[in-house]
Amino acid sequence: MIHHIKSWKPILLITFHLGLVSCTDTLIGDEGKLDEDIYLNYQTKTELELPFEEEWYVFNGGKTHREGAHHFTTRGGGERYAIDFVIVVDTEISTGILRKIHSGDGRQNEDHYCFGKRLYAPGNGKVIEVVNTIDDNQPGTINRDQPGGNYIIIDHLNGETSILAHLKKGSIIVSVGDTVVKGQEVGKAGNSGVSDAPHLHYQLQGTSGELEELGLPAQFLNYYEDDTHVVRGELFRNQKVKKH
């Protein structure tokens, strides 16, 4: 879930949790060796690329409370290092920069810059789960009955899976059992499930052994952050990133 940036009806869930934490830079999860060897120093096996073409903004992402709101909802589970992406348009105003995720009042999904944008497989693998029939929410509301909304799970066949969630109803064009290659179109960004505004939720997750069902840091290859080329890197809140 995300809450709006300068939007008409902000959702307060993330803000509420932040207020309960005394040290926003503390890492969540098991202490000691597990954090150091798996969470902090984990090296992604899959050759991942960003799952979109245009420049997107990292709304939530990173290894700390401050950067990654999903830490609060999972306590070390599958969403631990999940990333929320939106498209923003910056407007200069007298007090600084107004960063907007939609045009107009944002009351319609179509007002949001990322709604309906094409999404691509971040890495090679096999599609193991698809949901494609969940209605998109009216902005400002959520669907708690189907938390992921419309989503795709890609098994990278190396102990890692990618999950792309909250997609637009009926937009997913791959099926369970399909083999996909990095960069292949799979669906479109939407606003389904536990989502109060259109965005893409991405998470990398372990599938076996001690990593099973644990959210993992995702290192992406060959992308641009604010026009600076990054050969391999992790994404953090407030970055603007694009593939080309």
Side-chain angles (χ1 to χ4, degrees):
M1 178 189 296
I2 67 171
H3 63 283
H4 298 267
I5 311 171
K6 296 287 186 182
S7 185
W8 65 278
K9 186 179 180 184
I11 296 298
L12 299 178
L13 177 64
I14 294 173
T15 303
F16 174 73
H17 279 119
L18 284 172
L20 295 179
V21 179
S22 58
C23 179
T24 57
D25 289 321
T26 301
L27 286 157
I28 273 182
D30 299 324
E31 297 178 353
K33 190 175 188 298
L34 188 60
D35 266 353
E36 289 296 326
D37 290 353
I38 295 178
Y39 291 135
L40 296 184
N41 298 322
Y42 184 78
Q43 296 296 304
T44 305
K45 299 175 184 177
T46 308
E47 292 187 354
L48 294 175
E49 68 177 21
L50 295 176
F52 42 74
E53 291 289 350
E54 301 175 53
E55 183 177 72
W56 288 56
Y57 175 81
V58 181
F59 191 90
N60 291 308
K63 292 181 174 177
T64 68
H65 290 328
R66 189 189 304 269
E67 296 163 331
H70 298 93
H71 294 187
F72 299 101
T73 61
T74 59
R75 296 280 168 177
E79 294 185 54
R80 176 178 175 131
Y81 296 115
I83 305 167
D84 286 332
F85 295 100
V86 295
I87 294 177
V88 300
V89 171
D90 291 344
T91 303
E92 196 169 330
I93 57 177
S94 59
T95 55
I97 298 294
L98 176 63
R99 181 158 282 166
K100 295 189 65 176
I101 63 175
H102 58 71
S103 61
D105 60 16
R107 292 178 182 269
Q108 303 300 319
N109 285 318
E110 290 77 11
D111 294 338
H112 292 252
Y113 302 123
C114 72
F115 186 74
K117 293 294 185 181
R118 293 178 181 178
L119 302 174
Y120 304 89
N124 300 338
K126 183 178 181 179
V127 178
I128 60 171
E129 196 167 337
V130 169
V131 174
N132 200 22
T133 59
I134 309 302
D135 289 335
D136 289 282
N137 302 320
Q138 179 77 15
T141 67
I142 61 174
N143 176 359
R144 296 189 185 277
D145 294 330
Q146 290 104 3
N150 303 302
Y151 64 87
I152 306 166
I153 302 181
I154 300 171
D155 187 345
H156 297 299
L157 306 177
N158 58 6
E160 297 175 346
T161 59
S162 283
I163 302 173
L164 291 80
H166 308 314
L167 274 61
K168 183 180 179 181
K169 181 181 179 180
S171 72
I172 297 173
I173 58 175
V174 294
S175 302
V176 172
D178 287 354
T179 296
V180 295
V181 296
K182 180 171 55 179
Q184 177 180 337
E185 184 179 350
V186 294
K188 295 179 180 178
N191 186 27
S192 57
V194 179
S195 170
D196 66 319
H199 72 289
L200 169 64
H201 170 105
Y202 172 79
Q203 68 189 63
L204 186 71
Q205 189 166 304
T207 61
S208 61
E210 64 181 350
L211 300 180
E212 186 172 6
E213 296 184 0
L214 290 178
L216 302 171
Q219 288 118 34
F220 293 89
L221 304 179
N222 294 316
Y223 63 93
Y224 287 84
E225 180 208 340
D226 294 328
D227 297 322
T228 298
H229 182 248
V230 179
V231 176
R232 179 184 176 99
E234 295 180 20
L235 307 185
F236 298 92
R237 190 173 186 178
N238 296 326
Q239 291 179 324
K240 288 184 177 182
V241 294
K242 60 183 176 182
K243 191 158 50 176
H244 301 296

